[in-house]
Amino acid sequence: MSITENKTAAKIIRRRTRFEETWRQFRKNQGAIVGTTLLVFLATLALAAPLAAPEGLDDQHLGRRFQPPSRENILGTDNLGRDILSRIIHGSRLSLSIGFITTSIGLVAGGSLGAIAGYYGGHRDQVIMRFMDIILAIPGFIFAVALVTALGPNLLNLMIAVGLNSIPYFARIIRSSVLSVKEEEYIQAARVIGCSNGWIIARHVIPNAFAPILVQATLRIGDTIIIAAGLSFLGLGAQPPLPEWGAMLSAGRQYLRDAWWMATFPGIAIMITVLAFNLVGDGLRDALDPRLKS
């Protein structure tokens, strides 16, 4: 076996060992396992929504309006006779998609800006980070409300607004990681052999910031789902008849006394989903933090 092949095999073994160690630490956290199980269940439910849901997302039966939970309709029906369980299952697609898409927007844009600010420093760092501070000075929900109001109330604009609101969080994390590694010897060696700044950032800097990015992204998904649900609750997000959980909460609030199930079960769905992401994020943080490893 050649020297190159030996080095490649050694890298594979190190990566496998690192993954196995992280997984071993992750499995010790019972809350993280519960969260992972819930997320797998929700993702499966979302992917198989047309098959798992008893009815379509907007099948109306006016003759059975405001039916309480029963054997025929496990979670009851709403003011238009639609099966709430079916709408929650179909709504899981929307809520999970919103969480992943908006977090991806913040991760890509914020990660790029944070890497540039930390690596180059100087005026670029000052301009970028002061702009991030301005965004962070505005409460996240108010910032999203202002953007959606300016762009127009619909699902696409909601995702843009919530995604832009996530940018500063990732920018600050990646910038701090870049500042801690850019003066390391292997970075200096890469510069000496003529590697471009973009290659160094993509190949050496970003991978070393992977752990905090992964934890922040997992936790941020839960936050974006709550913000999106709040915007839909105010009528600034998903529009009828889309079964977004926040919009379902908004539709059921006026019937709380007579049909409590209309708002209760979508609220429970939001709570369980956000809890699952938070449990997984906490588990990843503990598993990836070397200070917490025995």
Side-chain angles (χ1 to χ4, degrees), residues 94 98 102 139-163 224-240 242 244-251 253:
L94 283 176
I98 290 171
T102 54
F141 188 76
I142 302 300
F143 179 81
V145 168
L147 277 179
V148 174
T149 303
L151 297 173
N154 59 54
L155 192 59
L156 176 61
N157 292 338
L158 178 147
M159 289 190 288
I160 293 174
V162 179
T224 56
I225 289 176
I226 290 179
I227 295 174
L231 291 173
S232 295
F233 183 84
L234 296 176
L236 298 175
Q239 302 299 309
L242 292 178
E244 202 277 331
W245 293 338
M248 293 177 66
L249 269 173
S250 180
R253 61 180 171 175

Side-chain angles (χ1 to χ4, degrees), residues 102 110 132 145-146 165 177 241:
T102 54
M132 296 298 107
V145 168
N165 182 54
S177 298

Side-chain angles (χ1 to χ4, degrees), residues 85-146:
L85 175 61
S86 300
R87 287 179 61 78
I88 288 178
I89 292 175
H90 284 285
S92 63
R93 280 187 166 186
L94 283 176
S95 294
L96 292 178
S97 297
I98 290 171
F100 281 106
I101 292 173
T102 54
T103 302
S104 299
I105 293 172
L107 176 59
V108 173
S112 301
L113 292 173
I116 292 171
Y119 187 80
Y120 291 101
H123 294 297
R124 298 179 187 179
D125 183 21
Q126 291 297 322
V127 171
I128 292 174
M129 297 316 298
R130 296 300 74 77
F131 182 66
M132 296 298 107
D133 290 340
I134 291 173
I135 297 177
L136 287 172
I138 305 172
F141 188 76
I142 302 300
F143 179 81
V145 168

